[in-house]
Amino acid sequence: MLLSQISIVNYKNILAATLDLSPKINCLIGHNGVGKTNFLDAVYFLSFCRSAYHSVDSQVISHGEEFFMLEGAYFSEAGDTENVYCGMKRGQKKHFKRNKKEYKRLSEHIGLFPLIFVSPSDSILIEGAAEERRKLMDVVISQYDNTYIEALNNYNKALQQRNALLKMEEEPDPLLLDIWERQMAEEGTKIYLKREEFVKELEPVFQRIYQTISDQRETVALQYLSHGQRGDLLHVIQRDRAKDRAVGYSLHGIHRDDLEMMLGGYPMKREGSQGQNKTFVIALKLAQFDFLKRTNSRTTPMLLLDDIFDKLDARRVEQIVRLVASDEYGQIFITDTNRDHLDQILGNGNFDYKLFEVNDGVITEKKGEKDV
Protein backbone atom coordinates (compact mmCIF):
# COMPACT_ATOMS: atom_id res chain seq x y z
CA MET A 1 0.00 0.00 0.00
CA LEU A 2 1.33 3.43 -0.98
CA LEU A 3 0.33 6.77 0.53
CA SER A 4 0.54 9.13 -2.44
CA GLN A 5 -0.77 12.28 -0.75
CA ILE A 6 -1.62 13.37 2.78
CA SER A 7 -3.46 16.44 4.06
CA ILE A 8 -3.15 17.48 7.70
CA VAL A 9 -5.05 20.24 9.50
CA ASN A 10 -4.60 21.18 13.19
CA TYR A 11 -2.80 17.97 14.15
CA LYS A 12 -0.60 18.82 17.15
CA ASN A 13 1.81 21.56 15.92
CA ILE A 14 1.05 20.95 12.22
CA LEU A 15 -1.63 23.54 11.42
CA ALA A 16 -1.83 22.85 7.68
CA ALA A 17 0.12 20.61 5.29
CA THR A 18 -0.60 18.87 2.00
CA LEU A 19 2.24 16.73 0.68
CA ASP A 20 2.78 14.60 -2.43
CA LEU A 21 4.92 11.66 -1.38
CA SER A 22 7.52 9.39 -2.90
CA PRO A 23 6.42 5.77 -3.44
CA LYS A 24 9.74 4.63 -1.94
CA ILE A 25 11.56 6.80 0.65
CA ASN A 26 10.36 10.03 2.26
CA CYS A 27 12.84 11.80 4.55
CA LEU A 28 11.87 14.51 7.02
CA ILE A 29 14.72 16.67 8.29
CA GLY A 30 14.61 19.11 11.21
CA HIS A 31 15.63 19.81 14.78
CA ASN A 32 14.08 17.97 17.69
CA GLY A 33 10.57 19.07 18.63
CA VAL A 34 9.65 20.73 15.31
CA GLY A 35 6.97 18.24 14.22
CA LYS A 36 8.68 15.35 12.41
CA THR A 37 7.26 12.74 14.79
CA ASN A 38 3.84 14.43 14.68
CA PHE A 39 3.79 13.88 10.91
CA LEU A 40 4.54 10.17 11.36
CA ASP A 41 1.86 9.97 14.03
CA ALA A 42 -0.66 11.41 11.56
CA VAL A 43 0.25 8.65 9.08
CA TYR A 44 -0.12 6.12 11.92
CA PHE A 45 -3.54 7.54 12.83
CA LEU A 46 -4.85 6.93 9.32
CA SER A 47 -3.95 3.24 9.65
CA PHE A 48 -4.96 2.54 13.26
CA CYS A 49 -7.77 5.08 13.84
CA ARG A 50 -5.82 6.49 16.78
CA SER A 51 -2.57 8.17 17.75
CA ALA A 52 0.48 6.13 18.65
CA TYR A 53 1.09 8.42 21.63
CA HIS A 54 -2.28 9.68 22.94
CA SER A 55 -5.12 7.52 24.20
CA VAL A 56 -7.57 10.47 24.09
CA ASP A 57 -8.25 11.61 20.52
CA SER A 58 -8.87 15.25 21.40
CA GLN A 59 -5.30 15.54 22.67
CA VAL A 60 -4.00 15.66 19.09
CA ILE A 61 -5.99 18.82 18.25
CA SER A 62 -3.69 21.85 17.97
CA HIS A 63 -3.75 24.24 20.92
CA GLY A 64 -6.39 26.92 20.45
CA GLU A 65 -8.13 25.07 17.61
CA GLU A 66 -11.54 23.40 17.65
CA PHE A 67 -10.97 20.44 15.31
CA PHE A 68 -8.44 18.32 13.45
CA MET A 69 -8.61 16.66 10.04
CA LEU A 70 -6.51 14.02 8.29
CA GLU A 71 -6.95 12.74 4.75
CA GLY A 72 -4.85 10.23 2.85
CA ALA A 73 -4.92 9.14 -0.80
CA TYR A 74 -3.57 5.60 -1.24
CA PHE A 75 -2.71 3.28 -4.11
CA SER A 76 -2.78 -0.50 -3.73
CA GLU A 77 -0.47 -2.91 -5.55
CA ALA A 78 -3.45 -3.82 -7.73
CA GLY A 79 -3.74 -0.19 -8.85
CA ASP A 80 -6.88 0.58 -6.84
CA THR A 81 -7.26 4.02 -5.26
CA GLU A 82 -8.37 4.42 -1.67
CA ASN A 83 -9.26 7.52 0.32
CA VAL A 84 -9.15 7.62 4.11
CA TYR A 85 -10.57 10.54 6.08
CA CYS A 86 -10.65 11.32 9.77
CA GLY A 87 -12.07 14.44 11.40
CA MET A 88 -13.04 15.43 14.91
CA LYS A 89 -14.38 18.51 16.70
CA ARG A 90 -13.74 19.11 20.38
CA GLY A 91 -16.45 17.55 22.51
CA GLN A 92 -17.69 15.33 19.69
CA LYS A 93 -16.82 11.86 18.47
CA LYS A 94 -14.40 11.38 15.60
CA HIS A 95 -15.60 10.46 12.12
CA PHE A 96 -13.56 7.89 10.23
CA LYS A 97 -14.34 7.18 6.58
CA ARG A 98 -12.96 5.00 3.81
CA ASN A 99 -13.94 6.09 0.30
CA LYS A 100 -16.51 8.49 1.84
CA LYS A 101 -18.28 5.70 3.78
CA GLU A 102 -18.13 5.92 7.56
CA TYR A 103 -17.26 2.80 9.51
CA LYS A 104 -19.77 1.24 11.87
CA ARG A 105 -16.92 -0.47 13.71
CA LEU A 106 -13.39 0.95 13.56
CA SER A 107 -11.96 -2.56 13.97
CA GLU A 108 -13.01 -3.18 10.35
CA HIS A 109 -10.32 -0.70 9.25
CA ILE A 110 -7.40 -2.27 11.11
CA GLY A 111 -5.13 -4.19 8.75
CA LEU A 112 -6.33 -2.57 5.52
CA PHE A 113 -3.44 -0.07 5.56
CA PRO A 114 -0.80 -1.94 7.56
CA LEU A 115 2.33 -0.27 8.84
CA ILE A 116 5.23 -0.76 11.22
CA PHE A 117 6.35 2.22 13.33
CA VAL A 118 9.90 2.27 14.78
CA SER A 119 10.55 5.09 17.26
CA PRO A 120 12.87 6.00 20.18
CA SER A 121 10.03 5.20 22.58
CA ASP A 122 10.34 1.54 21.52
CA SER A 123 13.14 1.20 24.07
CA ILE A 124 10.30 0.53 26.50
CA LEU A 125 9.94 -2.88 24.85
CA ILE A 126 13.20 -3.86 26.51
CA GLU A 127 13.15 -1.68 29.62
CA GLY A 128 9.42 -1.66 30.37
CA ALA A 129 6.86 -4.05 31.78
CA ALA A 130 5.51 -7.17 30.07
CA GLU A 131 2.41 -5.22 29.03
CA GLU A 132 4.49 -3.37 26.43
CA ARG A 133 5.71 -6.61 24.87
CA ARG A 134 2.20 -8.07 24.79
CA LYS A 135 1.02 -4.92 23.06
CA LEU A 136 3.75 -5.41 20.44
CA MET A 137 2.41 -8.88 19.63
CA ASP A 138 -1.20 -7.67 19.64
CA VAL A 139 -0.55 -4.78 17.22
CA VAL A 140 0.98 -7.06 14.59
CA ILE A 141 -1.37 -10.04 14.90
CA SER A 142 -4.48 -7.82 14.81
CA GLN A 143 -3.36 -6.39 11.45
CA TYR A 144 -3.75 -9.73 9.69
CA ASP A 145 -6.28 -11.59 11.86
CA ASN A 146 -9.55 -9.81 12.69
CA THR A 147 -10.67 -12.69 14.91
CA TYR A 148 -7.74 -11.93 17.19
CA ILE A 149 -9.12 -8.50 18.12
CA GLU A 150 -12.49 -10.05 18.93
CA ALA A 151 -10.91 -12.74 21.10
CA LEU A 152 -8.76 -10.14 22.88
CA ASN A 153 -11.77 -7.90 23.58
CA ASN A 154 -13.81 -10.85 24.86
CA TYR A 155 -10.96 -12.01 27.09
CA ASN A 156 -10.41 -8.55 28.56
CA LYS A 157 -14.14 -8.18 29.27
CA ALA A 158 -14.19 -11.52 31.11
CA LEU A 159 -11.01 -10.60 33.00
CA GLN A 160 -12.53 -7.29 34.16
CA GLN A 161 -15.71 -9.02 35.30
CA ARG A 162 -13.78 -11.69 37.20
CA ASN A 163 -11.56 -9.08 38.86
CA ALA A 164 -14.65 -7.09 39.91
CA LEU A 165 -16.05 -10.20 41.61
CA LEU A 166 -12.71 -10.92 43.29
CA LYS A 167 -12.67 -7.39 44.79
CA MET A 168 -16.12 -7.73 46.40
CA GLU A 169 -16.27 -7.52 50.19
CA GLU A 170 -18.82 -10.31 50.37
CA GLU A 171 -18.03 -13.75 48.98
CA PRO A 172 -18.62 -13.72 45.17
CA ASP A 173 -21.06 -16.11 43.51
CA PRO A 174 -18.97 -19.15 42.45
CA LEU A 175 -21.26 -19.75 39.47
CA LEU A 176 -20.58 -16.24 38.15
CA LEU A 177 -16.86 -16.72 38.67
CA ASP A 178 -17.06 -19.97 36.75
CA ILE A 179 -18.80 -18.29 33.79
CA TRP A 180 -16.13 -15.60 33.44
CA GLU A 181 -13.29 -18.08 34.02
CA ARG A 182 -14.58 -20.29 31.24
CA GLN A 183 -14.74 -17.34 28.87
CA MET A 184 -11.21 -16.31 29.87
CA ALA A 185 -10.00 -19.84 29.20
CA GLU A 186 -11.80 -20.18 25.86
CA GLU A 187 -10.70 -16.82 24.45
CA GLY A 188 -7.31 -16.99 26.15
CA THR A 189 -6.49 -20.30 24.50
CA LYS A 190 -7.18 -18.78 21.08
CA ILE A 191 -4.91 -15.82 21.88
CA TYR A 192 -2.17 -18.04 23.30
CA LEU A 193 -2.06 -20.26 20.20
CA LYS A 194 -1.92 -17.26 17.85
CA ARG A 195 0.84 -15.57 19.87
CA GLU A 196 2.80 -18.81 20.03
CA GLU A 197 2.61 -19.30 16.27
CA PHE A 198 3.53 -15.65 15.67
CA VAL A 199 6.70 -15.78 17.79
CA LYS A 200 7.73 -19.13 16.32
CA GLU A 201 7.61 -17.72 12.79
CA LEU A 202 9.02 -14.33 13.76
CA GLU A 203 12.17 -15.39 15.62
CA PRO A 204 14.29 -16.80 12.74
CA VAL A 205 13.54 -13.73 10.59
CA PHE A 206 14.40 -11.46 13.53
CA GLN A 207 17.70 -13.27 14.11
CA ARG A 208 18.64 -13.01 10.42
CA ILE A 209 17.95 -9.27 10.32
CA TYR A 210 19.83 -8.63 13.57
CA GLN A 211 22.85 -10.53 12.26
CA THR A 212 22.80 -8.47 9.06
CA ILE A 213 22.69 -5.14 10.91
CA SER A 214 25.32 -6.11 13.49
CA ASP A 215 27.69 -7.83 11.01
CA GLN A 216 27.32 -11.12 12.92
CA ARG A 217 28.74 -9.56 16.11
CA GLU A 218 26.11 -10.79 18.58
CA THR A 219 23.60 -13.58 19.05
CA VAL A 220 20.01 -12.78 20.07
CA ALA A 221 16.86 -14.74 20.84
CA LEU A 222 13.15 -14.36 21.61
CA GLN A 223 11.19 -16.63 23.92
CA TYR A 224 7.43 -16.52 24.44
CA LEU A 225 6.35 -17.10 28.05
CA SER A 226 2.70 -17.86 28.81
CA HIS A 227 0.52 -19.53 31.42
CA GLY A 228 -1.00 -21.31 28.42
CA GLN A 229 2.15 -23.45 28.38
CA ARG A 230 1.24 -24.92 31.78
CA GLY A 231 -1.63 -27.06 30.49
CA ASP A 232 -5.39 -26.57 30.35
CA LEU A 233 -5.90 -22.82 30.79
CA LEU A 234 -9.18 -23.18 32.69
CA HIS A 235 -7.46 -25.34 35.31
CA VAL A 236 -4.54 -22.88 35.50
CA ILE A 237 -6.94 -19.97 36.11
CA GLN A 238 -9.14 -21.77 38.64
CA ARG A 239 -6.59 -23.62 40.76
CA ASP A 240 -5.48 -20.49 42.64
CA ARG A 241 -8.91 -18.88 42.97
CA ALA A 242 -8.43 -18.48 46.75
CA LYS A 243 -5.14 -16.65 46.27
CA ASP A 244 -6.71 -14.46 43.57
CA ARG A 245 -9.51 -13.63 45.99
CA ALA A 246 -6.97 -12.61 48.62
CA VAL A 247 -5.11 -10.18 46.35
CA GLY A 248 -8.25 -9.01 44.53
CA TYR A 249 -7.23 -9.73 40.94
CA SER A 250 -6.43 -12.57 38.54
CA LEU A 251 -2.87 -13.87 38.89
CA HIS A 252 -3.06 -16.33 36.00
CA GLY A 253 -4.04 -16.04 32.35
CA ILE A 254 -2.71 -14.77 29.04
CA HIS A 255 -2.83 -11.20 30.39
CA ARG A 256 0.41 -12.18 32.16
CA ASP A 257 2.21 -13.30 28.97
CA ASP A 258 5.68 -11.99 28.22
CA LEU A 259 8.22 -12.01 25.40
CA GLU A 260 11.70 -12.66 26.79
CA MET A 261 14.48 -10.84 24.90
CA MET A 262 17.98 -12.31 25.08
CA LEU A 263 21.48 -11.20 24.08
CA GLY A 264 24.23 -13.82 24.16
CA GLY A 265 22.05 -16.02 26.35
CA TYR A 266 21.36 -13.28 28.93
CA PRO A 267 18.44 -10.86 29.37
CA MET A 268 18.73 -7.97 26.93
CA LYS A 269 17.52 -5.57 29.63
CA ARG A 270 20.62 -6.32 31.70
CA GLU A 271 23.28 -6.91 29.05
CA GLY A 272 22.54 -4.61 26.09
CA SER A 273 24.32 -1.34 25.34
CA GLN A 274 22.30 1.57 23.91
CA GLY A 275 23.40 0.65 20.40
CA GLN A 276 22.62 -3.04 20.89
CA ASN A 277 19.20 -2.24 22.38
CA LYS A 278 18.36 -0.02 19.44
CA THR A 279 19.59 -2.65 16.96
CA PHE A 280 17.47 -5.25 18.76
CA VAL A 281 14.30 -3.16 18.56
CA ILE A 282 14.84 -2.18 14.92
CA ALA A 283 15.50 -5.80 13.92
CA LEU A 284 12.37 -6.85 15.81
CA LYS A 285 10.23 -4.27 14.03
CA LEU A 286 11.69 -5.12 10.60
CA ALA A 287 10.95 -8.79 11.31
CA GLN A 288 7.36 -7.80 12.07
CA PHE A 289 7.27 -6.01 8.72
CA ASP A 290 8.43 -9.19 6.98
CA PHE A 291 5.82 -11.21 8.88
CA LEU A 292 3.00 -8.84 7.93
CA LYS A 293 4.09 -8.82 4.31
CA ARG A 294 3.95 -12.62 4.17
CA THR A 295 0.73 -13.11 6.12
CA ASN A 296 -1.30 -10.14 4.89
CA SER A 297 -1.86 -10.95 1.21
CA ARG A 298 -3.59 -7.67 0.50
CA THR A 299 -0.67 -5.26 0.58
CA THR A 300 2.91 -4.45 1.56
CA PRO A 301 3.03 -2.51 4.85
CA MET A 302 4.41 1.01 5.12
CA LEU A 303 7.48 1.47 7.30
CA LEU A 304 7.90 4.49 9.61
CA LEU A 305 11.42 5.02 11.01
CA ASP A 306 11.63 7.83 13.56
CA ASP A 307 15.15 8.97 14.53
CA ILE A 308 16.66 5.52 13.96
CA PHE A 309 20.25 6.76 13.48
CA ASP A 310 20.79 8.03 17.03
CA LYS A 311 22.97 5.76 19.23
CA LEU A 312 24.06 3.64 16.21
CA ASP A 313 27.48 3.53 14.62
CA ALA A 314 27.84 4.45 10.94
CA ARG A 315 28.16 0.81 9.82
CA ARG A 316 24.88 -0.25 11.44
CA VAL A 317 23.10 2.78 9.99
CA GLU A 318 24.40 1.91 6.53
CA GLN A 319 23.26 -1.70 6.87
CA ILE A 320 19.76 -0.62 7.95
CA VAL A 321 19.38 1.80 5.05
CA ARG A 322 20.61 -0.81 2.54
CA LEU A 323 18.16 -3.28 4.00
CA VAL A 324 15.06 -1.07 3.88
CA ALA A 325 15.96 0.40 0.48
CA SER A 326 15.87 -3.06 -1.09
CA ASP A 327 12.96 -4.30 -3.20
CA GLU A 328 11.64 -6.29 -0.24
CA TYR A 329 10.32 -3.11 1.34
CA GLY A 330 7.67 -0.74 0.09
CA GLN A 331 7.09 2.87 1.08
CA ILE A 332 9.27 4.23 3.88
CA PHE A 333 9.21 7.37 6.02
CA ILE A 334 12.45 8.38 7.81
CA THR A 335 13.06 11.28 10.19
CA ASP A 336 16.47 12.61 11.20
CA THR A 337 18.09 15.73 12.62
CA ASN A 338 21.27 15.37 10.54
CA ARG A 339 20.75 16.53 6.95
CA ASP A 340 24.31 15.80 5.82
CA HIS A 341 24.06 12.29 7.23
CA LEU A 342 20.96 11.49 5.21
CA ASP A 343 22.26 13.09 2.00
CA GLN A 344 25.37 10.93 2.14
CA ILE A 345 23.47 7.69 2.74
CA LEU A 346 20.68 8.29 0.22
CA GLY A 347 23.07 9.71 -2.37
CA ASN A 348 24.80 6.32 -2.53
CA GLY A 349 21.57 4.49 -3.37
CA ASN A 350 19.71 4.03 -6.61
CA PHE A 351 16.14 4.56 -5.43
CA ASP A 352 13.43 7.18 -5.54
CA TYR A 353 13.15 9.49 -2.56
CA LYS A 354 11.93 12.90 -1.44
CA LEU A 355 13.34 15.23 1.20
CA PHE A 356 11.14 17.44 3.37
CA GLU A 357 12.28 20.10 5.82
CA VAL A 358 10.25 20.55 9.00
CA ASN A 359 10.35 23.79 10.99
CA ASP A 360 7.86 24.51 13.80
CA GLY A 361 5.12 22.43 12.17
CA VAL A 362 5.70 23.78 8.65
CA ILE A 363 6.72 21.06 6.18
CA THR A 364 8.45 22.08 2.94
CA GLU A 365 9.65 19.81 0.15
CA LYS A 366 13.29 20.34 -0.81
CA LYS A 367 13.54 20.19 -4.60
CA GLY A 368 16.49 18.88 -6.59
CA GLU A 369 18.13 17.11 -3.65
CA LYS A 370 19.04 14.02 -5.70
CA ASP A 371 21.70 16.05 -7.47
CA VAL A 372 23.47 16.97 -4.22
Side-chain angles (χ1 to χ4, degrees):
M1 186 64 70
L2 300 176
L3 179 58
S4 62
Q5 186 182 79
I6 187 170
S7 294
I8 304 172
V9 178
N10 298 336
Y11 194 88
K12 301 185 183 180
N13 76 329
I14 304 174
L15 298 183
T18 297
L19 304 177
D20 294 315
L21 303 166
S22 165
K24 187 56 181 174
I25 297 183
N26 296 275
C27 305
L28 292 96
I29 312 299
H31 298 299
N32 291 325
V34 296
K36 304 187 303 297
T37 301
N38 293 343
F39 173 84
L40 296 185
D41 193 43
V43 176
Y44 182 96
F45 203 117
L46 287 172
S47 284
F48 285 95
C49 309
R50 61 178 177 84
S51 165
Y53 298 101
H54 301 283
S55 57
V56 179
D57 293 324
S58 61
Q59 291 176 342
V60 306
I61 301 176
S62 302
H63 294 305
E65 303 296 336
E66 292 302 314
F67 73 97
F68 84 89
M69 186 277 292
L70 302 174
E71 190 166 15
Y74 295 82
F75 284 104
S76 70
E77 280 87 343
D80 299 324
T81 58
E82 300 273 2
N83 180 272
V84 178
Y85 166 90
C86 181
M88 178 182 178
K89 294 181 179 179
R90 289 193 187 275
Q92 299 182 21
K93 72 171 187 176
K94 65 187 171 191
H95 294 277
F96 213 98
K97 302 177 182 179
R98 176 187 171 207
N99 298 329
K100 300 183 178 180
K101 294 183 179 180
E102 188 153 5
Y103 284 102
K104 293 182 179 179
R105 299 171 59 188
L106 292 180
S107 60
E108 298 172 5
H109 183 75
I110 307 303
L112 295 179
F113 303 86
L115 64 75
I116 295 294
F117 191 2
V118 187
S119 76
S121 62
D122 289 330
S123 61
I124 198 171
L125 293 172
I126 295 172
E127 302 162 0
E131 178 185 0
E132 301 298 334
R133 293 178 285 278
R134 290 193 297 272
K135 190 185 302 180
L136 174 143
M137 293 187 283
D138 295 342
V139 165
V140 179
I141 298 172
S142 64
Q143 288 188 76
Y144 68 86
D145 188 339
N146 286 333
T147 65
Y148 184 83
I149 300 177
E150 184 178 357
L152 199 59
N153 288 338
N154 290 339
Y155 179 89
N156 288 332
K157 177 183 176 182
L159 174 64
Q160 290 170 0
Q161 294 294 331
R162 184 178 190 264
N163 285 346
L165 290 172
L166 293 172
K167 289 183 175 69
M168 293 174 60
E169 291 187 11
E170 64 273 17
E171 196 62 28
D173 185 339
L175 292 178
L176 279 179
L177 276 173
D178 186 71
I179 290 172
W180 295 120
E181 288 164 351
R182 289 183 181 279
Q183 182 169 330
M184 284 176 63
E186 180 181 352
E187 304 294 348
T189 299
K190 297 175 187 176
I191 295 165
Y192 159 65
L193 292 174
K194 291 178 188 295
R195 287 177 177 173
E196 183 180 52
E197 181 182 9
F198 166 67
V199 176
K200 182 179 179 180
E201 293 190 33
L202 184 78
E203 187 183 29
V205 180
F206 159 71
Q207 290 178 333
R208 173 176 57 80
I209 293 173
Y210 189 98
Q211 294 299 317
T212 298
I213 297 174
S214 69
D215 283 333
Q216 318 290 324
R217 293 178 191 170
E218 301 111 18
T219 58
V220 291
L222 296 171
Q223 184 176 358
Y224 175 45
L225 305 176
S226 175
H227 291 159
Q229 296 159 340
R230 299 181 180 180
D232 179 71
L233 193 55
L234 180 60
H235 174 68
V236 171
I237 292 170
Q238 290 183 333
R239 68 185 177 192
D240 281 330
R241 186 189 279 182
K243 188 182 294 185
D244 291 356
R245 172 78 172 127
V247 298
Y249 57 88
S250 303
L251 291 168
H252 296 90
I254 57 90
H255 62 286
R256 310 281 290 189
D257 285 2
D258 202 353
L259 188 61
E260 194 172 41
M261 301 177 173
M262 309 294 287
L263 174 69
Y266 298 96
M268 190 76 196
K269 185 175 183 178
R270 191 179 70 200
E271 295 293 317
S273 67
Q274 287 184 319
Q276 289 170 327
N277 286 353
K278 191 148 193 176
T279 303
F280 194 102
V281 169
I282 291 172
L284 186 57
K285 289 296 190 79
L286 294 184
Q288 292 173 24
F289 175 96
D290 180 90
F291 187 91
L292 270 183
K293 184 178 179 181
R294 287 186 287 109
T295 55
N296 189 328
S297 60
R298 290 174 292 209
T299 185
T300 300
M302 292 178 287
L303 182 62
L304 280 55
L305 304 173
D306 190 16
D307 195 23
I308 65 167
F309 302 142
D310 187 42
K311 307 292 190 303
L312 294 177
D313 59 58
R315 178 58 179 167
R316 294 195 185 211
V317 169
E318 183 181 356
Q319 291 290 76
I320 291 169
V321 173
R322 286 181 183 276
L323 200 60
V324 300
S326 69
D327 293 337
E328 294 182 20
Y329 291 83
Q331 189 176 32
I332 303 164
F333 296 85
I334 303 176
T335 71
D336 191 36
T337 57
N338 191 327
R339 165 67 184 279
D340 295 334
H341 194 186
L342 261 183
D343 280 344
Q344 182 181 1
I345 294 170
L346 296 177
N348 291 331
N350 184 25
F351 38 76
D352 184 86
Y353 68 89
K354 284 190 175 185
L355 278 170
F356 299 92
E357 188 172 78
V358 186
N359 186 16
D360 292 333
V362 178
I363 306 175
T364 308
E365 183 179 351
K366 306 301 289 184
K367 300 291 186 180
E369 299 300 341
K370 296 177 186 179
D371 299 326
V372 173

